[in-house]
Amino acid sequence: TVTAKNISVNGVAHLAGSIDNPRLWSAETPNLYQLEVRLKLGDAVVHTIHQKFGFRTIELRPGQGLFVNGHRVFLKGFARHSFWPDSGRTVSKQISIEDINLIKEMNGNAVRSSHYPPDSHFLDACDELGMYVFDELTGWQANYDTDIGRKLVKERVEHDANHPSVIFWDNGNEGGFNFDL
């Protein structure tokens, strides 16, 4: 438990803590922790946030490949579009879970969120079920210019930074990419 007291209305609080010998997250062992942050006004809780997170390391070793938590990993993946016959681009967490389970049944361990950022419930399910994710920002037919792209990349990384399933952020596909980003 970490407590920050007497923060002004427009103030900033920095919370810090540590976990000794955390259980590491990987697609094979999707160990997660949960953080709860409560904002109180006096004794009344006025806002609560819950977020799951995990601990893992990602390394790209030249000539050797990808390593997660020091273990070499071979990615076997799929490009996924958020689409369902009955609801179009509106998908649910249950559909995300079904998609991940189908990928795992086909011996996959990775997914690229083709052409657009994934739904939060999809990343939550990847964290919980164990799936490596390429979190894609790009549009369909063209790359973002540098000014807009920097803002979007920053937002995407900040939004999904605590998802251990995200091992790469994509910036580009068929329509091109911007090396400045």
Side-chain angles (χ1 to χ4, degrees):
T1 301
V2 177
T3 303
K5 294 186 178 189
N6 302 324
I7 305 300
S8 66
V9 172
N10 292 321
V12 175
H14 294 277
L15 305 175
S18 64
I19 297 175
D20 295 326
N21 300 313
R23 293 174 291 128
L24 299 179
W25 186 96
S26 71
E28 296 76 25
T29 58
N31 295 310
L32 293 173
Y33 291 84
Q34 181 159 311
L35 173 71
E36 177 181 290
V37 176
R38 287 178 276 163
L39 178 61
K40 295 172 79 175
L41 189 56
D43 290 333
V45 175
V46 295
H47 187 69
T48 303
I49 295 175
H50 294 93
Q51 185 167 15
K52 292 182 179 177
F53 66 97
F55 294 93
R56 52 107 180 100
T57 61
I58 302 292
E59 294 176 81
L60 292 173
R61 297 181 187 170
Q64 296 180 48
L66 173 69
F67 289 76
V68 177
N69 302 324
H71 300 282
R72 189 171 185 194
V73 171
F74 292 91
L75 298 176
K76 298 166 278 182
F78 297 79
R80 175 186 182 262
H81 287 274
S82 297
F83 187 85
W84 198 249
D86 297 338
S87 60
R89 295 213 181 273
T90 303
V91 294
S92 65
K93 183 167 184 173
Q94 184 57 42
I95 291 171
S96 292
I97 290 169
E98 290 173 11
D99 283 353
I100 294 164
N101 284 331
L102 181 60
I103 291 168
K104 290 177 84 76
E105 286 174 16
M106 293 185 283
N107 202 31
N109 65 354
V111 62
R112 175 180 150 236
S113 62
S114 305
H115 309 310
Y116 36 75
D119 294 309
S120 292
H121 59 73
F122 179 74
L123 293 179
D124 290 342
C126 287
D127 292 344
E128 294 165 14
L129 298 172
M131 182 68 55
Y132 298 116
V133 176
F134 289 67
D135 193 345
E136 189 156 297
L137 171 65
T138 191
W140 171 246
Q141 291 296 324
N143 62 300
Y144 290 107
D145 66 41
T146 302
D147 290 339
I148 296 297
R150 283 191 175 132
K151 179 180 182 272
L152 293 172
V153 167
K154 181 179 186 294
E155 289 175 0
R156 177 85 335 232
V157 171
E158 288 175 351
H159 185 267
D160 295 341
N162 291 331
H163 287 282
S165 59
V166 176
I167 60 170
F168 296 108
W169 279 274
D170 285 358
N171 170 39
N173 67 45
E174 293 92 344
F177 44 87
N178 181 341
F179 285 110
D180 292 335
L181 302 178

